[in-house]
Amino acid sequence: MPVQMKVNYKPPIFSTVEEERLHLKQKLAAAFRLFSKFGFDEGVAGHITARDPEGVTIFGLIRTACILAR
C-alpha cells in the first residue's frame, strides 16, 4: 500500500526587500554547503547563483562572493 504524503509548503512572505535578500543569502549559503558536502565544490560544479529580489539583473554568486550586474 503506497504511502501518501501531504506537503503543506507556502513560500515565505517578506515585509521588506532586505528581509527577502537576507533569506536568499542564507538559502544560497546552505545550498553551497550541501554541494560541498557531496563533492560538487570543484570548478563550475560549485557554481550557484541567486537573483536579487530588487534588481532583477543583479545576481549573487556565493562561489566568488561578488555581485554581477548585466
Side-chain angles (χ1 to χ4, degrees):
M1 183 169 173
V3 177
Q4 291 185 345
M5 295 176 58
K6 289 186 178 183
V7 178
N8 226 3
Y9 176 76
K10 293 183 183 176
I13 298 172
F14 305 98
S15 58
T16 65
V17 175
E18 289 78 17
E19 284 181 8
E20 185 174 0
R21 188 176 290 125
L22 176 63
H23 177 77
L24 285 173
K25 285 181 182 180
Q26 291 169 341
K27 293 295 183 184
L28 189 60
F32 188 71
R33 288 184 190 111
L34 278 173
F35 265 46
S36 180
K37 180 178 180 175
F38 292 107
F40 296 110
D41 56 349
E42 294 293 327
V44 293
H47 177 89
I48 306 172
T49 60
R51 186 179 303 177
D52 186 77
E54 190 173 28
V56 293
T57 59
I58 299 173
F59 294 84
L61 294 155
I62 198 74
R63 181 76 174 157
T64 57
C66 67
I67 300 296
L68 298 178
R70 282 202 287 160

